[in-house]
Amino acid sequence: MNLYAAGKSGAFRITSVPKISLLEGMGLRRGTNVTVQNRYIFGGPVLLRVEGAYSVAVGKDVAMQIGVERVNPQ
């Protein structure tokens, strides 16, 4: 599933990322765990918590290109 379709909250592991160099600098790379904090309405950005350390926002178009899988809480 993609990050935008993943829902408004939950923990996910990134499985694929488009070739956008800015994403690497934001810490969004394959294998990174993220928590969706909010998905804004009307096609707005997705607010993420990256590895429990900091928050970043990505636009809908980019979020739709980031593949994720749900991480089971332990």
Side-chain angles (χ1 to χ4, degrees):
M1 90 179 83
N2 68 58
L3 184 59
Y4 194 78
K8 200 168 183 177
S9 63
F12 301 91
R13 180 172 297 115
I14 295 176
T15 58
S16 65
V17 181
K19 292 183 180 185
I20 301 173
S21 59
L22 181 61
L23 295 177
E24 177 82 20
M26 295 168 64
L28 301 177
R29 58 185 70 86
R30 190 170 183 214
T32 300
N33 290 329
V34 297
T35 302
V36 177
Q37 293 180 309
N38 202 351
R39 189 178 84 188
Y40 294 93
I41 61 172
F42 303 119
V46 177
L47 182 63
L48 305 171
R49 188 90 171 151
V50 180
E51 298 279 14
Y54 55 92
S55 296
V56 297
V58 294
K60 177 183 178 182
D61 293 341
V62 174
M64 291 178 72
Q65 297 177 54
I66 299 173
V68 294
E69 63 185 6
R70 188 169 294 278
V71 176
N72 294 328
Q74 298 179 6

